[in-house]
């Protein structure tokens, strides 16, 4: 079992940057792969990025490659999403989600069992 809490969302102008954080509780956090998933109004949840339990494998959606970077610090039970060159289309609620998977990652949203409450990111001038 793991509990997840996101923070760092807010309002930013196009071209700006934000850093999202996901804080986890639970002693076995280092056994979980973690992803960032977003949901815009009226749309389905969309995979954004994922990182393996040990941090050695990462994946990013084509829509964010070169702009977003996922990372983690298992000593701090935290996962981060650095978002640069933000666009209005990036506006969404961003969730972190965990999957008990000791190696590799999944890009399938349905594979993630534990979810945070989400943090709103709004990109607007």
């Amino acid at each position: 079992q793991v509990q997840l809490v996101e923070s760092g969302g807010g309002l930013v102008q196009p071209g700006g940057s934000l850093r999202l954080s996901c804080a986890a509780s639970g002693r076995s956090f280092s056994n979980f792969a973690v992803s960032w998933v977003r949901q815009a109004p009226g749309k389905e949840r969309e995979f954004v990025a994922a990182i393996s339990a040990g941090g050695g494998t990462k994946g990013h959606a084509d829509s964010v490659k070169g702009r977003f970077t996922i990372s983690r610090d298992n000593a701090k039970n935290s996962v981060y999403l650095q978002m640069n060159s933000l666009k209005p289309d990036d506006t969404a609620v961003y969730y972190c989600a965990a999957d008990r998977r000791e190696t590799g990652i999944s890009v399938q949203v349905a594979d993630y069992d534990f979810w945070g409450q989400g943090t709103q990111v709004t990109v607007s001038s």
Side-chain angles (χ1 to χ4, degrees), residues 43-79:
K43 295 187 176 181
E44 294 186 353
R45 288 187 175 184
E46 174 192 17
F47 170 84
V48 175
I51 189 166
S52 61
T57 301
K58 302 178 184 181
H60 298 80
D62 288 344
S63 58
V64 306
K65 274 182 183 175
R67 300 188 299 124
F68 292 11
T69 303
I70 192 170
S71 63
R72 70 188 294 162
D73 184 342
N74 283 343
K76 296 182 178 180
N77 275 10
S78 293
V79 174

Side-chain angles (χ1 to χ4, degrees), residues 29-120:
F29 177 67
S30 59
N31 293 333
F32 287 79
V34 177
S35 70
W36 287 96
V37 174
R38 67 187 180 186
Q39 186 167 25
K43 295 187 176 181
E44 294 186 353
R45 288 187 175 184
E46 174 192 17
F47 170 84
V48 175
I51 189 166
S52 61
T57 301
K58 302 178 184 181
H60 298 80
D62 288 344
S63 58
V64 306
K65 274 182 183 175
R67 300 188 299 124
F68 292 11
T69 303
I70 192 170
S71 63
R72 70 188 294 162
D73 184 342
N74 283 343
K76 296 182 178 180
N77 275 10
S78 293
V79 174
Y80 309 98
L81 185 68
Q82 178 66 44
M83 305 188 296
N84 299 328
S85 303
L86 282 160
K87 306 175 181 179
D89 283 350
D90 295 318
T91 295
V93 177
Y94 283 71
Y95 300 89
C96 68
D99 171 28
R100 184 179 288 277
R101 179 190 300 262
E102 294 189 12
T103 59
I105 59 172
S106 172
V107 300
Q108 301 299 321
V109 172
D111 285 342
Y112 290 84
D113 298 316
F114 304 97
W115 292 77
Q117 83 290 348
T119 186
Q120 176 71 46

